[in-house]
Structures are given as structure tokens and as C-alpha cells.
PDB file of all heavy atoms in Angstrom:
ATOM      1  N   ILE A   1     142.463 131.101 205.624  1.00  0.00           N
ATOM      2  CA  ILE A   1     143.791 131.227 206.246  1.00  0.00           C
ATOM      3  C   ILE A   1     144.819 130.430 205.464  1.00  0.00           C
ATOM      4  O   ILE A   1     145.957 130.875 205.248  1.00  0.00           O
ATOM      5  CB  ILE A   1     143.722 130.766 207.722  1.00  0.00           C
ATOM      6  CG1 ILE A   1     142.882 131.761 208.542  1.00  0.00           C
ATOM      7  CG2 ILE A   1     145.114 130.636 208.326  1.00  0.00           C
ATOM      8  CD1 ILE A   1     142.596 131.303 209.955  1.00  0.00           C
ATOM      9  N   ARG A   2     144.424 129.234 205.013  1.00  0.00           N
ATOM     10  CA  ARG A   2     145.364 128.426 204.233  1.00  0.00           C
ATOM     11  C   ARG A   2     145.715 129.095 202.907  1.00  0.00           C
ATOM     12  O   ARG A   2     146.868 129.066 202.469  1.00  0.00           O
ATOM     13  CB  ARG A   2     144.767 127.036 203.992  1.00  0.00           C
ATOM     14  CG  ARG A   2     144.779 126.168 205.231  1.00  0.00           C
ATOM     15  CD  ARG A   2     144.102 124.837 204.989  1.00  0.00           C
ATOM     16  NE  ARG A   2     144.210 123.979 206.171  1.00  0.00           N
ATOM     17  CZ  ARG A   2     143.579 122.801 206.285  1.00  0.00           C
ATOM     18  NH1 ARG A   2     142.816 122.358 205.289  1.00  0.00           N
ATOM     19  NH2 ARG A   2     143.729 122.080 207.384  1.00  0.00           N
ATOM     20  N   ASP A   3     144.719 129.714 202.284  1.00  0.00           N
ATOM     21  CA  ASP A   3     145.015 130.446 201.054  1.00  0.00           C
ATOM     22  C   ASP A   3     145.979 131.599 201.329  1.00  0.00           C
ATOM     23  O   ASP A   3     146.920 131.846 200.563  1.00  0.00           O
ATOM     24  CB  ASP A   3     143.713 130.985 200.449  1.00  0.00           C
ATOM     25  CG  ASP A   3     142.821 129.866 199.950  1.00  0.00           C
ATOM     26  OD1 ASP A   3     143.336 128.759 199.731  1.00  0.00           O
ATOM     27  OD2 ASP A   3     141.596 130.098 199.795  1.00  0.00           O
ATOM     28  N   LYS A   4     145.726 132.322 202.486  1.00  0.00           N
ATOM     29  CA  LYS A   4     146.610 133.439 202.833  1.00  0.00           C
ATOM     30  C   LYS A   4     148.023 132.926 203.113  1.00  0.00           C
ATOM     31  O   LYS A   4     149.028 133.539 202.701  1.00  0.00           O
ATOM     32  CB  LYS A   4     146.045 134.170 204.054  1.00  0.00           C
ATOM     33  CG  LYS A   4     146.767 135.480 204.368  1.00  0.00           C
ATOM     34  CD  LYS A   4     146.238 136.086 205.661  1.00  0.00           C
ATOM     35  CE  LYS A   4     144.769 136.483 205.513  1.00  0.00           C
ATOM     36  NZ  LYS A   4     144.267 137.134 206.754  1.00  0.00           N
ATOM     37  N   ARG A   5     148.106 131.782 203.825  1.00  0.00           N
ATOM     38  CA  ARG A   5     149.431 131.217 204.117  1.00  0.00           C
ATOM     39  C   ARG A   5     150.143 130.810 202.833  1.00  0.00           C
ATOM     40  O   ARG A   5     151.335 131.039 202.645  1.00  0.00           O
ATOM     41  CB  ARG A   5     149.280 129.992 205.026  1.00  0.00           C
ATOM     42  CG  ARG A   5     150.625 129.414 205.487  1.00  0.00           C
ATOM     43  CD  ARG A   5     150.423 128.061 206.124  1.00  0.00           C
ATOM     44  NE  ARG A   5     149.942 127.105 205.111  1.00  0.00           N
ATOM     45  CZ  ARG A   5     149.684 125.825 205.356  1.00  0.00           C
ATOM     46  NH1 ARG A   5     149.819 125.338 206.580  1.00  0.00           N
ATOM     47  NH2 ARG A   5     149.277 125.047 204.397  1.00  0.00           N
ATOM     48  N   GLN A   6     149.369 130.242 201.906  1.00  0.00           N
ATOM     49  CA  GLN A   6     149.974 129.827 200.642  1.00  0.00           C
ATOM     50  C   GLN A   6     150.522 131.031 199.881  1.00  0.00           C
ATOM     51  O   GLN A   6     151.628 130.993 199.338  1.00  0.00           O
ATOM     52  CB  GLN A   6     148.928 129.084 199.785  1.00  0.00           C
ATOM     53  CG  GLN A   6     149.475 128.504 198.501  1.00  0.00           C
ATOM     54  CD  GLN A   6     150.440 127.364 198.751  1.00  0.00           C
ATOM     55  OE1 GLN A   6     150.401 126.729 199.806  1.00  0.00           O
ATOM     56  NE2 GLN A   6     151.338 127.159 197.813  1.00  0.00           N
ATOM     57  N   ASN A   7     149.742 132.121 199.878  1.00  0.00           N
ATOM     58  CA  ASN A   7     150.200 133.337 199.193  1.00  0.00           C
ATOM     59  C   ASN A   7     151.445 133.897 199.862  1.00  0.00           C
ATOM     60  O   ASN A   7     152.389 134.355 199.199  1.00  0.00           O
ATOM     61  CB  ASN A   7     149.087 134.377 199.186  1.00  0.00           C
ATOM     62  CG  ASN A   7     147.913 133.948 198.332  1.00  0.00           C
ATOM     63  OD1 ASN A   7     148.091 133.190 197.373  1.00  0.00           O
ATOM     64  ND2 ASN A   7     146.717 134.408 198.663  1.00  0.00           N
ATOM     65  N   THR A   8     151.463 133.881 201.244  1.00  0.00           N
ATOM     66  CA  THR A   8     152.627 134.416 201.972  1.00  0.00           C
ATOM     67  C   THR A   8     153.862 133.575 201.698  1.00  0.00           C
ATOM     68  O   THR A   8     154.963 134.104 201.499  1.00  0.00           O
ATOM     69  CB  THR A   8     152.318 134.443 203.484  1.00  0.00           C
ATOM     70  OG1 THR A   8     151.119 135.190 203.705  1.00  0.00           O
ATOM     71  CG2 THR A   8     153.439 135.098 204.261  1.00  0.00           C
ATOM     72  N   VAL A   9     153.675 132.240 201.729  1.00  0.00           N
ATOM     73  CA  VAL A   9     154.813 131.351 201.433  1.00  0.00           C
ATOM     74  C   VAL A   9     155.335 131.609 200.028  1.00  0.00           C
ATOM     75  O   VAL A   9     156.544 131.626 199.786  1.00  0.00           O
ATOM     76  CB  VAL A   9     154.383 129.877 201.599  1.00  0.00           C
ATOM     77  CG1 VAL A   9     155.453 128.944 201.057  1.00  0.00           C
ATOM     78  CG2 VAL A   9     154.116 129.574 203.071  1.00  0.00           C
ATOM     79  N   GLN A  10     154.407 131.838 199.098  1.00  0.00           N
ATOM     80  CA  GLN A  10     154.819 132.109 197.721  1.00  0.00           C
ATOM     81  C   GLN A  10     155.608 133.418 197.640  1.00  0.00           C
ATOM     82  O   GLN A  10     156.649 133.487 196.986  1.00  0.00           O
ATOM     83  CB  GLN A  10     153.572 132.161 196.823  1.00  0.00           C
ATOM     84  CG  GLN A  10     153.905 132.281 195.349  1.00  0.00           C
ATOM     85  CD  GLN A  10     152.653 132.244 194.504  1.00  0.00           C
ATOM     86  OE1 GLN A  10     151.564 132.133 195.044  1.00  0.00           O
ATOM     87  NE2 GLN A  10     152.820 132.323 193.208  1.00  0.00           N
ATOM     88  N   GLN A  11     155.133 134.483 198.341  1.00  0.00           N
ATOM     89  CA  GLN A  11     155.852 135.767 198.331  1.00  0.00           C
ATOM     90  C   GLN A  11     157.212 135.625 198.994  1.00  0.00           C
ATOM     91  O   GLN A  11     158.214 136.171 198.522  1.00  0.00           O
ATOM     92  CB  GLN A  11     155.017 136.833 199.039  1.00  0.00           C
ATOM     93  CG  GLN A  11     153.731 137.193 198.292  1.00  0.00           C
ATOM     94  CD  GLN A  11     152.873 138.180 199.064  1.00  0.00           C
ATOM     95  OE1 GLN A  11     153.264 138.641 200.141  1.00  0.00           O
ATOM     96  NE2 GLN A  11     151.704 138.494 198.517  1.00  0.00           N
ATOM     97  N   LEU A  12     157.263 134.892 200.154  1.00  0.00           N
ATOM     98  CA  LEU A  12     158.540 134.691 200.848  1.00  0.00           C
ATOM     99  C   LEU A  12     159.529 133.938 199.953  1.00  0.00           C
ATOM    100  O   LEU A  12     160.721 134.260 199.915  1.00  0.00           O
ATOM    101  CB  LEU A  12     158.296 133.910 202.148  1.00  0.00           C
ATOM    102  CG  LEU A  12     159.540 133.656 203.035  1.00  0.00           C
ATOM    103  CD1 LEU A  12     160.186 134.980 203.433  1.00  0.00           C
ATOM    104  CD2 LEU A  12     159.151 132.855 204.283  1.00  0.00           C
ATOM    105  N   GLY A  13     158.999 132.952 199.216  1.00  0.00           N
ATOM    106  CA  GLY A  13     159.875 132.225 198.296  1.00  0.00           C
ATOM    107  C   GLY A  13     160.433 133.139 197.213  1.00  0.00           C
ATOM    108  O   GLY A  13     161.599 133.033 196.826  1.00  0.00           O
ATOM    109  N   GLN A  14     159.549 134.032 196.708  1.00  0.00           N
ATOM    110  CA  GLN A  14     160.028 134.979 195.696  1.00  0.00           C
ATOM    111  C   GLN A  14     161.123 135.883 196.245  1.00  0.00           C
ATOM    112  O   GLN A  14     162.137 136.147 195.585  1.00  0.00           O
ATOM    113  CB  GLN A  14     158.858 135.813 195.177  1.00  0.00           C
ATOM    114  CG  GLN A  14     157.838 135.014 194.383  1.00  0.00           C
ATOM    115  CD  GLN A  14     156.650 135.855 193.961  1.00  0.00           C
ATOM    116  OE1 GLN A  14     156.587 137.030 194.336  1.00  0.00           O
ATOM    117  NE2 GLN A  14     155.746 135.266 193.227  1.00  0.00           N
ATOM    118  N   ILE A  15     160.941 136.398 197.529  1.00  0.00           N
ATOM    119  CA  ILE A  15     161.954 137.289 198.139  1.00  0.00           C
ATOM    120  C   ILE A  15     163.256 136.527 198.337  1.00  0.00           C
ATOM    121  O   ILE A  15     164.349 137.048 198.063  1.00  0.00           O
ATOM    122  CB  ILE A  15     161.418 137.850 199.465  1.00  0.00           C
ATOM    123  CG1 ILE A  15     160.243 138.814 199.180  1.00  0.00           C
ATOM    124  CG2 ILE A  15     162.516 138.573 200.236  1.00  0.00           C
ATOM    125  CD1 ILE A  15     159.513 139.277 200.421  1.00  0.00           C
ATOM    126  N   GLU A  16     163.171 135.296 198.842  1.00  0.00           N
ATOM    127  CA  GLU A  16     164.388 134.514 199.044  1.00  0.00           C
ATOM    128  C   GLU A  16     165.109 134.276 197.714  1.00  0.00           C
ATOM    129  O   GLU A  16     166.339 134.318 197.638  1.00  0.00           O
ATOM    130  CB  GLU A  16     164.048 133.173 199.691  1.00  0.00           C
ATOM    131  CG  GLU A  16     163.612 133.311 201.150  1.00  0.00           C
ATOM    132  CD  GLU A  16     163.206 131.974 201.746  1.00  0.00           C
ATOM    133  OE1 GLU A  16     163.130 131.002 200.966  1.00  0.00           O
ATOM    134  OE2 GLU A  16     162.962 131.914 202.962  1.00  0.00           O
ATOM    135  N   GLY A  17     164.317 134.044 196.666  1.00  0.00           N
ATOM    136  CA  GLY A  17     164.950 133.870 195.361  1.00  0.00           C
ATOM    137  C   GLY A  17     165.666 135.137 194.907  1.00  0.00           C
ATOM    138  O   GLY A  17     166.770 135.090 194.360  1.00  0.00           O
ATOM    139  N   GLN A  18     165.009 136.304 195.164  1.00  0.00           N
ATOM    140  CA  GLN A  18     165.647 137.570 194.781  1.00  0.00           C
ATOM    141  C   GLN A  18     166.911 137.811 195.594  1.00  0.00           C
ATOM    142  O   GLN A  18     167.920 138.306 195.073  1.00  0.00           O
ATOM    143  CB  GLN A  18     164.649 138.720 194.970  1.00  0.00           C
ATOM    144  CG  GLN A  18     163.483 138.673 193.998  1.00  0.00           C
ATOM    145  CD  GLN A  18     162.469 139.771 194.259  1.00  0.00           C
ATOM    146  OE1 GLN A  18     162.640 140.575 195.187  1.00  0.00           O
ATOM    147  NE2 GLN A  18     161.427 139.799 193.451  1.00  0.00           N
ATOM    148  N   VAL A  19     166.889 137.498 196.944  1.00  0.00           N
ATOM    149  CA  VAL A  19     168.089 137.671 197.791  1.00  0.00           C
ATOM    150  C   VAL A  19     169.222 136.796 197.275  1.00  0.00           C
ATOM    151  O   VAL A  19     170.372 137.232 197.154  1.00  0.00           O
ATOM    152  CB  VAL A  19     167.740 137.329 199.251  1.00  0.00           C
ATOM    153  CG1 VAL A  19     169.017 137.237 200.103  1.00  0.00           C
ATOM    154  CG2 VAL A  19     166.808 138.379 199.839  1.00  0.00           C
ATOM    155  N   HIS A  20     168.858 135.519 196.940  1.00  0.00           N
ATOM    156  CA  HIS A  20     169.885 134.625 196.436  1.00  0.00           C
ATOM    157  C   HIS A  20     170.467 135.133 195.118  1.00  0.00           C
ATOM    158  O   HIS A  20     171.682 135.110 194.891  1.00  0.00           O
ATOM    159  CB  HIS A  20     169.285 133.230 196.253  1.00  0.00           C
ATOM    160  CG  HIS A  20     170.256 132.197 195.749  1.00  0.00           C
ATOM    161  ND1 HIS A  20     171.330 131.746 196.497  1.00  0.00           N
ATOM    162  CD2 HIS A  20     170.312 131.560 194.545  1.00  0.00           C
ATOM    163  CE1 HIS A  20     172.010 130.879 195.787  1.00  0.00           C
ATOM    164  NE2 HIS A  20     171.396 130.738 194.595  1.00  0.00           N
ATOM    165  N   LEU A  21     169.562 135.670 194.276  1.00  0.00           N
ATOM    166  CA  LEU A  21     170.025 136.220 193.006  1.00  0.00           C
ATOM    167  C   LEU A  21     170.918 137.426 193.211  1.00  0.00           C
ATOM    168  O   LEU A  21     171.930 137.604 192.526  1.00  0.00           O
ATOM    169  CB  LEU A  21     168.798 136.579 192.146  1.00  0.00           C
ATOM    170  CG  LEU A  21     169.103 137.171 190.777  1.00  0.00           C
ATOM    171  CD1 LEU A  21     169.894 136.178 189.923  1.00  0.00           C
ATOM    172  CD2 LEU A  21     167.799 137.581 190.078  1.00  0.00           C
ATOM    173  N   MET A  22     170.560 138.277 194.210  1.00  0.00           N
ATOM    174  CA  MET A  22     171.370 139.475 194.486  1.00  0.00           C
ATOM    175  C   MET A  22     172.758 139.077 194.997  1.00  0.00           C
ATOM    176  O   MET A  22     173.767 139.673 194.614  1.00  0.00           O
ATOM    177  CB  MET A  22     170.636 140.365 195.491  1.00  0.00           C
ATOM    178  CG  MET A  22     171.264 141.736 195.654  1.00  0.00           C
ATOM    179  SD  MET A  22     171.332 142.619 194.062  1.00  0.00           S
ATOM    180  CE  MET A  22     169.601 142.792 193.738  1.00  0.00           C
ATOM    181  N   HIS A  23     172.818 138.064 195.887  1.00  0.00           N
ATOM    182  CA  HIS A  23     174.109 137.564 196.358  1.00  0.00           C
ATOM    183  C   HIS A  23     174.958 137.084 195.176  1.00  0.00           C
ATOM    184  O   HIS A  23     176.168 137.361 195.103  1.00  0.00           O
ATOM    185  CB  HIS A  23     173.897 136.418 197.354  1.00  0.00           C
ATOM    186  CG  HIS A  23     173.604 136.889 198.768  1.00  0.00           C
ATOM    187  ND1 HIS A  23     174.511 137.579 199.541  1.00  0.00           N
ATOM    188  CD2 HIS A  23     172.474 136.769 199.522  1.00  0.00           C
ATOM    189  CE1 HIS A  23     173.979 137.863 200.725  1.00  0.00           C
ATOM    190  NE2 HIS A  23     172.714 137.378 200.736  1.00  0.00           N
ATOM    191  N   GLN A  24     174.303 136.379 194.271  1.00  0.00           N
ATOM    192  CA  GLN A  24     175.045 135.885 193.111  1.00  0.00           C
ATOM    193  C   GLN A  24     175.563 137.034 192.257  1.00  0.00           C
ATOM    194  O   GLN A  24     176.691 137.005 191.768  1.00  0.00           O
ATOM    195  CB  GLN A  24     174.146 134.976 192.277  1.00  0.00           C
ATOM    196  CG  GLN A  24     173.855 133.624 192.914  1.00  0.00           C
ATOM    197  CD  GLN A  24     172.979 132.752 192.035  1.00  0.00           C
ATOM    198  OE1 GLN A  24     172.436 133.248 191.052  1.00  0.00           O
ATOM    199  NE2 GLN A  24     172.867 131.484 192.396  1.00  0.00           N
ATOM    200  N   GLN A  25     174.721 138.082 192.106  1.00  0.00           N
ATOM    201  CA  GLN A  25     175.164 139.227 191.315  1.00  0.00           C
ATOM    202  C   GLN A  25     176.361 139.935 191.957  1.00  0.00           C
ATOM    203  O   GLN A  25     177.311 140.322 191.277  1.00  0.00           O
ATOM    204  CB  GLN A  25     174.005 140.207 191.115  1.00  0.00           C
ATOM    205  CG  GLN A  25     172.908 139.665 190.210  1.00  0.00           C
ATOM    206  CD  GLN A  25     171.759 140.644 190.053  1.00  0.00           C
ATOM    207  OE1 GLN A  25     171.759 141.704 190.699  1.00  0.00           O
ATOM    208  NE2 GLN A  25     170.802 140.279 189.223  1.00  0.00           N
ATOM    209  N   ILE A  26     176.274 140.139 193.315  1.00  0.00           N
ATOM    210  CA  ILE A  26     177.393 140.810 194.004  1.00  0.00           C
ATOM    211  C   ILE A  26     178.662 139.983 193.872  1.00  0.00           C
ATOM    212  O   ILE A  26     179.747 140.488 193.545  1.00  0.00           O
ATOM    213  CB  ILE A  26     177.035 141.046 195.484  1.00  0.00           C
ATOM    214  CG1 ILE A  26     175.895 142.089 195.581  1.00  0.00           C
ATOM    215  CG2 ILE A  26     178.252 141.502 196.279  1.00  0.00           C
ATOM    216  CD1 ILE A  26     175.334 142.236 196.974  1.00  0.00           C
ATOM    217  N   GLU A  27     178.551 138.672 194.110  1.00  0.00           N
ATOM    218  CA  GLU A  27     179.720 137.799 194.023  1.00  0.00           C
ATOM    219  C   GLU A  27     180.283 137.779 192.614  1.00  0.00           C
ATOM    220  O   GLU A  27     181.500 137.811 192.394  1.00  0.00           O
ATOM    221  CB  GLU A  27     179.331 136.389 194.457  1.00  0.00           C
ATOM    222  CG  GLU A  27     180.516 135.435 194.515  1.00  0.00           C
ATOM    223  CD  GLU A  27     180.075 134.063 195.007  1.00  0.00           C
ATOM    224  OE1 GLU A  27     178.887 133.900 195.380  1.00  0.00           O
ATOM    225  OE2 GLU A  27     180.923 133.147 195.013  1.00  0.00           O
ATOM    226  N   LYS A  28     179.378 137.786 191.645  1.00  0.00           N
ATOM    227  CA  LYS A  28     179.820 137.788 190.265  1.00  0.00           C
ATOM    228  C   LYS A  28     180.546 139.072 189.922  1.00  0.00           C
ATOM    229  O   LYS A  28     181.575 139.075 189.241  1.00  0.00           O
ATOM    230  CB  LYS A  28     178.596 137.587 189.352  1.00  0.00           C
ATOM    231  CG  LYS A  28     178.951 137.474 187.887  1.00  0.00           C
ATOM    232  CD  LYS A  28     177.692 137.226 187.071  1.00  0.00           C
ATOM    233  CE  LYS A  28     178.026 137.102 185.602  1.00  0.00           C
ATOM    234  NZ  LYS A  28     176.810 136.895 184.781  1.00  0.00           N
ATOM    235  N   LYS A  29     180.007 140.216 190.412  1.00  0.00           N
ATOM    236  CA  LYS A  29     180.641 141.515 190.135  1.00  0.00           C
ATOM    237  C   LYS A  29     182.006 141.603 190.771  1.00  0.00           C
ATOM    238  O   LYS A  29     182.986 142.087 190.185  1.00  0.00           O
ATOM    239  CB  LYS A  29     179.726 142.632 190.631  1.00  0.00           C
ATOM    240  CG  LYS A  29     180.141 144.004 190.156  1.00  0.00           C
ATOM    241  CD  LYS A  29     179.069 145.026 190.511  1.00  0.00           C
ATOM    242  CE  LYS A  29     179.424 146.394 189.950  1.00  0.00           C
ATOM    243  NZ  LYS A  29     178.406 147.403 190.296  1.00  0.00           N
TER     244      LYS A  29
END
């Protein structure tokens, strides 16, 4: 379960990073 949680946290972090990057791209455009 801890391994699964670690993987989920890692995926969630990746999605949040992509959302933040997308916001930056829209604002930049």
C-alpha cells in the first residue's frame, strides 16, 4: 500500500506540475 501511495503521490505531483506549467503557458500567451 505504501508503494502504491508513493506511486500515486508521484503521479499527482506530475499532474500538478503539468497544470502549473499549462497556467504559465496560457498566461505567457
Side-chain angles (χ1 to χ4, degrees):
I1 292 172
R2 286 176 176 173
D3 293 340
K4 189 185 296 183
R5 185 192 66 179
Q6 185 68 23
N7 293 332
T8 305
V9 170
Q10 187 177 0
Q11 293 176 3
L12 182 58
Q14 293 176 357
I15 292 172
E16 289 177 352
Q18 292 177 0
V19 169
H20 181 67
L21 180 61
M22 190 58 64
H23 278 295
Q24 288 181 349
Q25 291 179 356
I26 292 171
E27 185 178 355
K28 184 178 180 181
K29 192 171 184 181

